Amino acid sequence: MKDPVYKIIELTGTSTTSIEDAVDKAIKRAHKTLKHLSWFQVTETRGNIDKGKVHHWQVTVKIGFSVED
């Protein structure tokens, strides 16, 4: 493809472990049903607190993939 055209979806991955794990989960889920994943952009990071500690990460990502002809 000479000059690709991209579509963007937005997903929120979650994790009790880390921000990176939440991003990875969102990308792995997108990979199950979409082809040609190319890039991602973190647009929002948030989480909840339990007993003074981070309990759960929520990371919203935009995932870009090329559209087939």
Side-chain angles (χ1 to χ4, degrees):
M1 188 179 304
K2 185 177 178 184
D3 294 318
V5 172
Y6 295 97
K7 181 170 178 75
I8 299 171
I9 62 165
E10 187 173 81
L11 296 173
T12 300
T14 64
S15 173
T16 56
T17 306
S18 68
I19 293 170
E20 291 85 0
D21 189 48
V23 170
D24 192 51
K25 287 180 179 179
I27 291 170
K28 283 181 180 177
R29 179 58 189 91
H31 179 70
K32 286 183 180 182
T33 56
L34 299 171
K35 298 178 185 177
H36 312 297
L37 300 181
S38 299
W39 53 270
F40 73 94
Q41 174 187 359
V42 174
T43 59
E44 188 173 4
T45 304
R46 62 189 171 280
N48 65 357
I49 301 167
D50 185 31
K51 299 178 185 172
K53 293 186 178 182
V54 174
H55 177 66
H56 210 102
W57 292 101
Q58 299 173 338
V59 182
T60 301
V61 294
K62 290 184 178 182
I63 300 173
F65 57 97
S66 58
V67 179
E68 293 179 348
D69 287 335

